[in-house]
Amino acid sequence: MNSWIISLSVAYLLGSIPFGYLLVRTFNHQDIRKTGSGNIGATNVIRSGAKGLGFATLLLDLGKAFCAVLIAKKLAPGNYDLAVATAVAAVVGHIYPVWLGFRGGKGVASALGVFLALTWPSALCILSVFIVVVVLTRFVSLASIIAAATLPFFAYFFVPERSAIVIAGFLLITALIIGKHHQNIRRLLAGTESRFGSRKAGN
Ligand code: NKO
């Protein structure tokens, strides 16, 4: 029981570190939430003109989530239910950080981080889907939504255990990511979503 409490709270806290917001505030003295899409994720940091900070945001958001799952695996080796619940806690921390009034990112980089630690072949498949959609459409948001939708299938295929908690965890991560992209979905349907590499801010 102790390992559950420790893993889930450490994962939430790690996940809730808003690296995109912190890096842009520290180095560019701007509030990333007030530019472009207003998101604190790597895409919007790059969109704001801070390429280096954007890549750092991607790596740090991915890394914090990866570490959260590694800690769970160390605390309770072989407990896959706990590892998946911890993955959910890390993504929830990123999307709903207490520090930013529970208004955080969209969970894309952190989902990739947790799946790299949970079942890396599934992460590579999800990443491939993401890359194909970005190359074809240049919509990062659409790539994130489609990658998130395929995530439970790849994860189900590659996981060593298929308990109810594991499956519910995968579906929850997908639902959280797609739900957080509701404004992007509206813009995609309206034809006003900004494409990666274009200067237009996607409000
Ligand atoms: O600002 O609303 P926006 O247009 O920024 O952002 C939409 C975007 C938000 O997500 C991010 C995260 C960083 C994406 C950088 C892509 C680098 C490669 C990572 C691939 C992840 C694929 C796995 C997806 C799992 C669901 O969507």
Side-chain angles (χ1 to χ4, degrees):
M1 198 60 215
N2 240 347
S3 49
W4 277 80
I5 295 169
I6 297 170
S7 291
L8 295 183
S9 30
V10 168
Y12 175 81
L13 289 174
L14 271 174
S16 72
I17 306 171
F19 283 114
Y21 169 77
L22 291 174
L23 289 173
V24 172
R25 194 185 70 177
T26 308
F27 294 100
N28 286 357
H29 312 289
Q30 277 175 3
D31 186 340
I32 188 61
R33 298 169 300 175
K34 299 204 168 98
T35 74
S37 67
N39 191 41
I40 63 166
T43 308
N44 201 40
V45 175
I46 293 173
R47 186 183 287 128
S48 79
K51 272 199 186 136
L53 294 184
F55 285 109
T57 301
L58 172 63
L59 289 181
L60 290 165
D61 282 347
L62 191 154
K64 71 186 183 186
F66 182 82
C67 288
V69 174
L70 278 197
I71 291 170
K73 283 177 143 186
K74 281 263 178 274
L75 280 177
N79 188 342
Y80 211 74
D81 283 352
L82 173 56
V84 172
T86 302
V88 173
V91 174
V92 165
H94 180 79
I95 296 182
Y96 303 105
V98 58
W99 326 111
L100 299 181
F102 300 100
R103 281 191 289 272
K106 300 184 180 175
V108 177
S110 46
L112 186 64
V114 295
F115 279 94
L116 276 173
L118 279 177
T119 143
W120 64 265
S122 74
L124 295 188
C125 292
I126 299 160
L127 181 59
S128 310
V129 170
F130 177 92
I131 290 170
V132 168
V133 181
V134 168
V135 168
L136 290 179
T137 70
R138 288 201 295 126
F139 289 125
V140 175
S141 56
L142 185 66
S144 301
I145 292 162
I146 293 177
T150 62
L151 184 158
F153 299 99
F154 289 125
Y156 185 81
F157 184 75
F158 286 108
V159 279
E161 245 179 77
R162 289 164 180 163
S163 70
I165 290 186
V166 165
I167 293 167
F170 295 159
L171 293 173
L172 188 54
I173 291 176
T174 293
L176 287 170
I177 295 172
I178 296 180
K180 256 296 198 174
H181 280 82
H182 66 274
Q183 287 170 329
N184 301 85
I185 293 170
R186 217 166 292 141
R187 288 196 293 265
L188 284 163
L189 292 174
T192 56
E193 180 67 311
S194 69
R195 287 184 199 265
F196 194 71
S198 92
R199 286 276 109 198
K200 195 164 69 98
N203 265 318

